[in-house]
Amino acid sequence: MTDSVFGTSASATGAVEQRMRIQLEVNGQRIEREVLVRQHLVDFLREELGLTGSHLGCEHGVCGACSVIVDGELVRGCLTLAVQAQGKAVETIEGLSDSGQLAILQQAFLEHNAMQCGFCTPGMLLTARALMQELLEPSREVIREYMSGNYCRCTGYQAIVDAIETAIRRSKALGAANSLGSAKESLAPSTSGTVSASEVSL
């Protein structure tokens, strides 16, 4: 890990703990902090940056509540050390929600009552987004299998699967509509009265 500075500090018990300066991008913002080398990424996001949308559940990588995106890959924040994010791009539920990338999923979850206490919802949304990016037309059984690493104590999963199916249908319809609109624009006659060099076919 390049461009990193190591240091030490004393804990409450008097033990010397190693620290490291890291640089990373979080939700598009460049961040530089000195962290304990043993600090997990989800703790860093919550305690150091105030991004509390990623939750701590089992702390063993089983429940999926701590899920975040690192360099485009879905990871467990409770199993990933903050120092492992050195030089990488991290996206959290806050960043993806603010950018509108989860709007279709959020609306579908709301309509199907796929969130109740809300504790698991951020991890569910990020995992569902990863599913939709990876698989174009997953069956209901495939959706269940893909989401099986995320625990929910409230909904019984039925509503969550329903919501994801709805989001997939709407996303496909929106994509088809956008493609049709682009095709119509490309076929529309020029109204400028002139022809640019790029429009001339040799």
Side-chain angles (χ1 to χ4, degrees), residues 15 19 34 41 55 84 87 89 151-152 199:
R19 304 180 70 88
E34 186 176 278
L41 180 57
H55 294 151
Q84 290 178 286
Y151 288 1
C152 176
E199 293 177 288

Side-chain angles (χ1 to χ4, degrees), residues 9 29 104:
S9 63
Q29 181 180 356
I104 291 178

Side-chain angles (χ1 to χ4, degrees), residues 7 18 23 49-50 55 104 130 140 142 146 166 181 185 187 192:
Q18 193 173 41
Q23 297 178 347
L49 303 185
H55 294 151
I104 291 178
R140 193 172 180 85
V142 169
Y146 200 101
T166 295
E185 289 177 6
L187 292 173
S192 64

Side-chain angles (χ1 to χ4, degrees), residues 62-162:
V62 176
C63 73
C66 64
S67 298
V68 294
I69 309 295
V70 178
D71 278 355
E73 296 293 329
L74 187 70
V75 304
R76 298 292 204 237
C78 73
L79 297 182
T80 306
L81 295 174
V83 295
Q84 290 178 286
Q86 160 67 18
K88 298 182 178 180
V90 177
E91 295 174 288
T92 69
I93 186 70
E94 291 90 346
L96 292 172
S97 180
D98 289 345
S99 68
Q101 295 183 55
L102 297 176
I104 291 178
L105 273 167
Q106 288 170 319
Q107 182 62 33
F109 268 60
L110 180 63
E111 291 174 4
H112 287 278
N113 196 27
M115 47 189 171
Q116 292 183 26
C117 80
F119 188 84
C120 73
T121 305
M124 288 286 184
L125 288 170
L126 293 190
T127 304
R129 173 180 178 265
L131 164 66
M132 291 174 65
Q133 290 179 325
E134 184 177 333
L135 304 172
L136 295 178
E137 297 184 16
S139 65
R140 193 172 180 85
E141 291 71 25
V142 169
I143 294 174
R144 285 183 177 276
E145 177 65 25
Y146 200 101
M147 301 298 297
S148 63
N150 292 71
Y151 288 1
C152 176
R153 300 291 187 183
C154 304
T155 67
Y157 303 99
Q158 184 81 11
I160 292 173
V161 177
D162 290 343

Side-chain angles (χ1 to χ4, degrees), residues 30-43:
R30 194 69 179 172
I31 302 292
E32 182 174 350
R33 290 287 193 282
E34 186 176 278
V35 300
L36 291 171
V37 295
R38 64 176 176 81
Q39 186 177 41
H40 290 103
L41 180 57
V42 67
D43 292 318

